[in-house]
Amino acid sequence: LTEAKKEAEAEEKRERVEQTIRRYEESFDRMLVLAKTSTTDKLVDSFLFNEDRNFALFNYVSEINGEIEKLLNENEELKKQIDDYKNSMNNSIAEKRQELETLELTSNRIEEATEKIRAKLEKTRQILQETAVMTGDLAKKLNCDTSVLERRLAASKDPTLETVLDYLALIEERIDNLLLVRQYIASIDPDAPYIAKPILMGGNLLPLSSSFPTIIPPSLQADFDEPTGEGELKVPLSREELHKRVISQIKAKHTETTGRENEPDV
């Protein structure tokens, strides 16, 4: 009985092993069909190849995940930099707007000042124009010879802003000549008032407290190079003749004074 039982158990165990083998064979057959191979060796080779490939893909996916994580970190850093740049640009724009407003205010003030200066310039131009007109009237009253200016400047008889200085120079020359004649007449006229005599010779530089100098009328025979006859002063002299005689008198006085200073002391 015991041996029969053992044989039965051995038979049962053998059947289980055979069933397991058949299941393995069926599984291998299905795997061969799925793998489209004809032998087990090819199936094993295909399995090993796919295993290596899957491992390589796993490594590649791991690297890709690392790159993705790195790119995400860089993206966060870029977002932070963009936010900082936006804040900086906003601050810069606010400063530029404030500077622009300041420049606009300054420009408005400059425009207002420019308008005031233009108004003053126009007023000054009008005053200068009136001065030019008065200068022309004064030149006419003094009988100034304006033909020289008309020929030299090719200008009209009426002075303009461009020629008013030339007319003033002509008036100054005319006044100097008149004062020179007045000086000469006062120097030869003992009855002329004192204030008329030193107007050009510098006598008016004396202090008021000093005594008035005694002016001796010049001798015409001694002071002028040209001989004069009796009654010659009664003949009217031209401006050129008066000017020539006064210059001769001044030169003679200067020569006499220089000679006295150079004389040796005794």
Side-chain angles (χ1 to χ4, degrees):
L1 182 62
T2 303
E3 291 180 359
K5 186 178 180 179
K6 289 181 179 180
E7 289 178 358
E9 290 178 355
E11 184 66 23
E12 184 180 358
K13 185 176 181 180
R14 184 177 61 79
E15 289 179 358
R16 286 199 302 270
V17 171
E18 288 179 354
Q19 289 178 358
T20 302
I21 291 172
R22 283 196 299 270
R23 286 197 301 270
Y24 284 162
E25 288 177 352
E26 290 175 358
S27 298
F28 270 104
D29 291 338
R30 287 196 299 271
M31 291 175 64
L32 290 174
V33 173
L34 294 174
K36 296 180 181 181
T37 58
S38 58
T39 62
T40 305
D41 294 335
K42 291 182 179 180
L43 179 62
V44 173
D45 293 337
S46 176
F47 176 78
L48 294 175
F49 174 77
N50 291 330
E51 184 69 18
D52 293 337
R53 182 181 179 186
N54 290 334
F55 183 75
L57 290 174
F58 175 78
N59 292 333
Y60 177 73
V61 170
S62 298
E63 292 179 0
I64 293 298
N65 289 332
E67 291 292 333
I68 291 173
E69 185 176 359
K70 182 179 179 181
L71 290 175
L72 290 175
N73 293 331
E74 291 180 356
N75 190 19
E76 292 295 331
E77 185 67 23
L78 287 175
K79 286 182 179 180
K80 183 178 179 181
Q81 292 180 2
I82 290 172
D83 293 336
D84 294 339
Y85 182 74
K86 286 182 179 179
N87 294 331
S88 176
M89 287 300 297
N90 291 332
N91 295 332
S92 178
I93 290 173
E95 293 177 358
K96 295 298 182 182
R97 286 179 179 174
Q98 186 175 2
E99 291 179 0
L100 181 60
E101 292 176 357
T102 303
L103 291 175
E104 288 179 353
L105 293 176
T106 304
S107 177
N108 293 333
R109 288 196 296 268
I110 291 174
E111 289 180 358
E112 293 177 359
T114 303
E115 291 298 329
K116 292 180 180 179
I117 292 173
R118 287 177 180 173
K120 290 182 180 179
L121 180 61
E122 185 63 26
K123 185 177 180 180
T124 303
R125 185 179 287 108
Q126 293 177 359
I127 294 174
L128 290 176
Q129 189 64 39
E130 294 175 358
T131 303
V133 174
M134 290 188 291
T135 302
D137 295 338
L138 181 59
K140 291 179 181 178
K141 291 180 180 180
L142 293 176
N143 295 324
C144 295
D145 185 10
T146 60
S147 60
V148 178
L149 294 179
E150 294 174 7
R151 290 193 302 270
R152 180 167 60 88
L153 301 176
S156 61
K157 294 182 179 180
D158 298 328
T160 60
L161 296 179
E162 290 76 14
T163 60
V164 65
L165 293 179
D166 297 291
Y167 276 85
L168 288 175
L170 188 63
I171 291 172
E172 182 180 4
E173 181 182 359
R174 176 63 174 167
I175 292 175
D176 289 341
N177 292 333
L178 292 176
L179 290 176
L180 190 62
V181 173
R182 184 172 180 268
Q183 174 70 26
Y184 172 72
I185 294 174
S187 64
I188 64 175
D189 186 4
D191 296 330
Y194 170 74
I195 194 172
K197 297 183 179 182
I199 190 168
L200 292 180
M201 296 302 180
N204 57 341
L205 298 178
L206 295 175
L208 297 178
S209 60
S210 61
S211 60
F212 292 160
T214 302
I215 299 177
I216 301 175
S219 175
L220 296 180
Q221 293 293 340
D223 292 336
F224 295 114
D225 296 333
E226 298 179 359
T228 56
E230 184 178 358
E232 185 178 357
L233 292 177
K234 296 180 180 180
V235 180
L237 300 177
S238 64
R239 183 180 64 182
E240 289 77 9
E241 292 175 345
L242 286 174
H243 184 269
K244 182 178 179 181
R245 291 198 174 192
V246 171
I247 294 299
S248 300
Q249 179 184 3
I250 294 174
K251 288 182 178 180
K253 291 291 184 181
H254 179 71
T255 303
E256 182 180 356
T257 304
T258 305
R260 291 177 181 177
E261 292 178 354
N262 294 332
E263 290 180 358
D265 297 335
V266 180

